[in-house]
Amino acid sequence: MIRKNRANRIYLICTFIFAAVAIVYFVLQAMNKNIDLYLTPTQAKSGQYEIDGSFKLGGMVAIDSIETGSELDVTFVVTDFKNSMTVNYSGVLPSLFKENSGVVASGFYDQDAEIFVAEEILAKHDENYMPIKIEVEN
Amino acid sequence: MYKYIAKYFLLEKVYLFCRATALWSLGIGAVSFLLVAYLCLFILPSDATQSEVYRILFVHVPSAIFSELVYIFMAVNGFIYLVWRTKISAIFLSSAINIGLAFTALVLVTGALWGKPTWGTYWVWDARITSTFVLLIQYIGILALKSSFNSKETADQIVSIVAIIGAINIPIIKFSVEWWNTLHQSASITFSGSSIDAEMLYALPLMILSFAFLAFFIFSRNIQIEILSRNSNTKKVRELLNG
């Protein structure tokens, strides 16, 4: 008798867990587009996302694309290696900002000039950690 | 098999085990923490891109690991308690809550302090940071729930249910960096290897161990308090306290 109760409790808890997992799964599915912190250039150009207002653009800074203008003005290309977008920014860059490294820019897309005007630049750090010496040897 | 396991988890045995090991755990944890902290701060080489600020990793990563492990431990004990009605599982669950809360707060604070010099901001609402913040709220909620009932038994049952259901957040935290675009980088250490150079990596398991000892000290003291307060009017407890 006691054993039967115990089995019933296991079934009950498992049913609850299954139901909760299902609910969370569907909620996350519905929110999927909003959970992404940024859009890649491919996503931004696909037309499936709202890009009229301000949004965040993320990707890698293309090699040899950083051009510094007068004062703090800087222009560079953000790429996901399929599509790319030119970004214009005026302000202080984070110290980890460099070519071939991740970046997340918040701002808006100027459709006529085909330029993303950034108001804030965040550097994305990758998962690699390496002592200084080794990089110099390479 | 049930009886075989149960005899090792008699309340009295657990109490005496905790009382005997707590201070040893604190001693080993504190000494090893100081040694490993010296190693991390002064001996390990600086990072090529982040220079010195990467050293916060040695507090951030162990805290992150324990914030999730402690929660899994709580959910498993909640499950065992609900199915087998073993009092010791409820005691284990309640004793772990404030430890998990501390580790989650620590991982968020160290992450923010690291984020400012590397990313350029203390906080963004990306999937990893948001889901970890939700975990912090879960811990606070469970801690509040625990003391919101007159009957200990009702509290144990409700807390167990909430802990089990909330465990859904753990895989979400773990895989958030793969499922969505996040500012937080993806995992450095995976089953296929580590992208942290070996010259820095070896300090990490040492730090995790010293964190484990420190956490066990608090955990065993919590267990002692739980066992005593739940049985405060029994003859055995009076004997234990006097002897």
Side-chain angles (χ1 to χ4, degrees), chain B residues 8-220:
Chain B
Y8 289 101
F9 287 100
L10 290 171
L11 292 189
E12 195 184 341
K13 280 196 176 170
V14 173
Y15 178 87
L16 291 174
F17 179 80
C18 288
R19 193 170 73 171
T21 52
L23 283 177
W24 283 105
S25 188
L26 174 67
I28 297 169
V31 171
S32 64
F33 176 79
L34 289 175
L35 290 175
V36 182
Y38 181 80
L39 170 74
C40 294
L41 287 173
F42 299 107
I43 298 176
L44 291 184
S46 355
D47 185 69
T49 46
Q50 307 173 45
S51 71
E52 307 303 332
V53 75
Y54 92 96
R55 296 178 198 276
I56 209 162
L57 164 136
F58 296 106
V59 178
H60 184 71
V61 173
S63 315
I65 290 170
F66 283 117
S67 70
E68 291 170 47
L69 279 187
V70 168
Y71 198 92
I72 294 169
F73 175 80
M74 280 164 50
V76 169
N77 274 294
F79 183 82
I80 295 172
Y81 176 71
L82 286 182
V83 175
W84 284 275
R85 297 286 149 93
T86 43
K87 274 188 189 146
I88 192 68
S89 315
I91 290 169
F92 283 162
L93 198 170
S94 328
S95 305
I97 304 168
N98 60 7
I99 301 169
L101 175 62
F103 279 128
T104 313
L106 198 57
V107 75
L108 287 172
V109 169
T110 52
L113 292 176
W114 179 84
K116 187 65 184 171
T118 45
W119 296 338
T121 180
Y122 287 112
W123 192 272
V124 283
W125 291 102
D126 82 345
R128 172 56 73 82
I129 301 169
T130 308
S131 55
T132 309
F133 184 72
V134 170
L135 184 67
L136 182 78
I137 305 286
Q138 285 178 268
Y139 276 122
I140 294 172
I142 291 174
L143 198 60
L145 258 187
K146 186 191 136 187
S147 46
S148 316
F149 298 92
N150 286 329
S151 139
K152 277 269 186 215
E153 211 183 324
T154 318
D156 286 339
Q157 286 175 11
I158 302 283
V159 162
S160 300
I161 293 168
V162 172
I164 292 169
I165 300 296
I168 300 168
N169 195 20
I170 300 299
I172 295 177
I173 294 175
K174 171 69 188 151
F175 294 109
S176 56
V177 289
E178 289 165 33
W179 292 343
W180 298 289
N181 293 336
T182 55
L183 188 59
H184 194 286
Q185 64 263 35
S186 40
S188 287
I189 301 156
T190 57
F191 286 113
S192 52
S194 161
S195 58
I196 301 176
D197 193 83
E199 228 178 299
M200 303 158 160
L201 182 68
Y202 71 94
L204 196 54
L206 298 176
M207 203 54 151
I208 292 170
L209 263 180
S210 79
F211 268 49
F213 278 109
L214 290 172
F216 184 78
F217 164 68
I218 304 169
F219 183 56
S220 47

Side-chain angles (χ1 to χ4, degrees), chain A residues 6-7 9-10 13-14 16-17 20-21 24 28 32 35-40 43 56 94-96 98 104 120-135, chain B residues 45-50 54 57 79 82-85 114 117-121 124-127 164-165 168 172 179-188 195-197 199-200:
Chain A
R6 208 174 277 166
R9 285 203 291 265
I10 295 179
I13 295 167
C14 290
F16 264 106
I17 294 172
V21 169
V24 170
L28 290 180
N32 213 358
I35 297 174
D36 280 331
L37 182 73
Y38 56 84
L39 303 180
T40 62
Q43 285 173 326
K56 289 189 175 73
S95 54
L96 257 68
K98 59 178 184 185
V104 176
E120 188 189 21
I121 299 279
L122 301 177
K124 190 166 159 31
H125 183 259
D126 63 18
E127 64 273 25
N128 296 308
Y129 290 77
M130 216 181 255
I132 292 172
K133 275 186 300 185
I134 291 179
E135 203 186 47
Chain B
S46 355
D47 185 69
T49 46
Q50 307 173 45
Y54 92 96
L57 164 136
F79 183 82
L82 286 182
V83 175
W84 284 275
R85 297 286 149 93
W114 179 84
T118 45
W119 296 338
T121 180
V124 283
W125 291 102
D126 82 345
I164 292 169
I165 300 296
I168 300 168
I172 295 177
W179 292 343
W180 298 289
N181 293 336
T182 55
L183 188 59
H184 194 286
Q185 64 263 35
S186 40
S188 287
S195 58
I196 301 176
D197 193 83
E199 228 178 299
M200 303 158 160

